[in-house]
Amino acid sequence: MLNPRICLIIGVISISIFPVLVKWAPVSGLTSAFYRMSIAVIVLLPYVLIKNQLQRPDRSLWLPIFICGILFGSDIAIWNLSIHYSNATQATLLSNLSPVWVGIASALFLNDKPGKHFWIGTIMALSGMVILMGFDTFTQMRFDKGFLMALTSGLLYASYMITSKRVLNRMKIVSFMVYSMSVSSIYLLIICLATGQQLWSFTPTIWAVLSVQGLICQLLGWLTISYAVQKLDAQRVSLSLLSQSVVTGLMAWLFINEKVSFQMIIGGIIILAGIGITFLKKKTTS
């Protein structure tokens, strides 16, 4: 593996493609979430079996792995659904509150109390998020079903980061990914079948987009992010993922001609600066 910070950058770029691809593929959020997980598992499982890298977890890890699979699958599904009930901006904003939850949970459950650099960086990055999203987003925010679902998505995401950190400290990344994504795939398949979602008869273009979601957005993205979680503080990794909105905005501008305003550029710069501040403590004490 590369330097964990480089892996984190690769992971952020990989998962940032997902929102753009979702717009290209006219399938439901639940269907997209299912194929994102299942395609990644189908590709990764043969590799770990051939390489004999599938580690059998200790008995005490089975429950946390199962919980990780449910948490991540629920996060993806609820985030996608929240967009339909409200809008992508509100859903993204509320989901990106997860660094705050991760910081609090790390102090409570991981005995890893965030220092002043983390909280300064968090406040700065969230301020940048406000600027990037626009003040009207807050003044016009509706506290409806979409709001509650997006807020829940952020809590689920933070819970996943904390739980996966504890598991990754005790087992190989590829093994954890196989087990966790398998749980997510089965869980999402049951939900898709129960709600009557379309799962086949797609055009070749849609299958190609779903494959990219599984291989790049999920497999490459979360292998590298999981490595970063294993090597770095969970709260710093979570905060760094705020930069996803910056990268997604750039990709949307390049590939689907979405406008990028001066306000968004300033907000993005502030977000990245805030993320950088959270790493100062580790850099100065090394």
Side-chain angles (χ1 to χ4, degrees):
M1 274 288 186
L2 299 172
N3 181 286
R5 297 185 187 183
I6 295 177
C7 285
L8 183 57
I9 293 173
I10 294 173
V12 167
I13 294 174
S14 298
I15 65 175
S16 297
I17 301 171
F18 186 67
V20 177
L21 294 178
V22 168
K23 289 191 175 183
W24 284 352
V27 298
S28 74
L30 292 174
T31 299
S32 177
F34 164 69
Y35 278 110
R36 172 175 169 170
M37 294 293 179
S38 60
I39 290 175
V41 172
I42 291 172
V43 173
L44 183 60
L45 181 58
Y47 171 81
V48 297
L49 291 176
I50 293 173
K51 296 292 186 178
N52 196 28
Q53 293 187 7
L54 188 60
Q55 174 187 358
R56 183 178 178 84
D58 295 336
R59 183 176 300 180
S60 61
L61 291 180
W62 281 113
L63 180 58
I65 290 173
F66 178 80
I67 292 174
C68 282
I70 298 298
L71 287 173
F72 194 78
S74 298
D75 169 41
I76 297 297
I78 291 177
W79 183 79
N80 286 349
L81 290 174
S82 69
I83 296 176
H84 296 290
Y85 284 108
S86 56
N87 57 69
T89 300
Q90 177 174 295
T92 302
L93 172 65
L94 294 171
S95 179
N96 280 331
L97 291 176
S98 59
V100 178
W101 312 133
V102 171
I104 295 173
S106 295
L108 293 176
F109 301 112
L110 294 182
N111 296 319
D112 186 14
K113 186 177 181 180
K116 66 176 182 179
H117 287 95
F118 172 77
W119 293 115
I120 292 173
T122 297
I123 293 172
M124 188 171 181
L126 291 177
S127 299
M129 182 64 64
V130 172
I131 295 173
L132 185 145
M133 294 295 184
F135 293 100
D136 290 343
T137 300
F138 297 88
T139 59
Q140 299 175 6
M141 187 173 290
R142 295 172 296 167
F143 296 88
D144 54 10
K145 183 184 293 185
F147 175 91
L148 295 175
M149 294 181 74
L151 186 62
T152 301
S153 173
L155 290 169
L156 289 169
Y157 183 58
S159 300
Y160 169 80
M161 295 293 288
I162 294 297
T163 307
S164 64
K165 173 69 174 178
R166 301 179 69 175
V167 176
L168 287 168
N169 286 338
R170 299 175 56 188
M171 70 179 301
K172 296 178 180 179
I173 295 172
V174 290
S175 296
F176 166 74
M177 293 289 289
V178 167
Y179 293 124
S180 176
M181 292 190 304
S182 296
V183 172
S184 295
S185 298
I186 296 171
Y187 170 65
L188 290 170
L189 177 60
I190 293 173
I191 293 177
C192 286
L193 294 175
T195 56
Q197 304 297 320
Q198 181 182 0
L199 293 174
W200 44 79
S201 299
F202 298 125
T203 65
T205 300
I206 294 178
W207 281 119
V209 172
L210 292 174
S211 297
V212 173
Q213 291 178 4
L215 297 176
I216 304 299
C217 303
Q218 181 60 33
L219 186 55
L220 176 61
W222 283 96
L223 277 174
T224 50
I225 290 173
S226 294
Y227 180 75
V229 171
Q230 186 183 59
K231 300 297 182 181
L232 302 173
D233 295 336
Q235 62 265 27
R236 286 191 175 89
V237 174
S238 179
L239 185 62
S240 297
L241 296 183
L242 281 178
S243 60
Q244 176 187 355
S245 58
V246 181
V247 180
T248 297
L250 177 61
M251 291 185 175
W253 173 63
L254 290 174
F255 298 112
I256 57 178
N257 296 320
E258 287 195 357
K259 294 182 179 180
V260 177
S261 65
F262 179 74
Q263 173 183 313
M264 294 175 66
I265 295 174
I266 295 300
I269 293 173
I270 295 175
I271 289 172
L272 296 177
I275 293 170
I277 288 175
T278 67
F279 287 94
L280 289 179
K281 179 180 178 181
K282 185 172 185 179
K283 183 176 180 180
T284 57
T285 58
S286 59

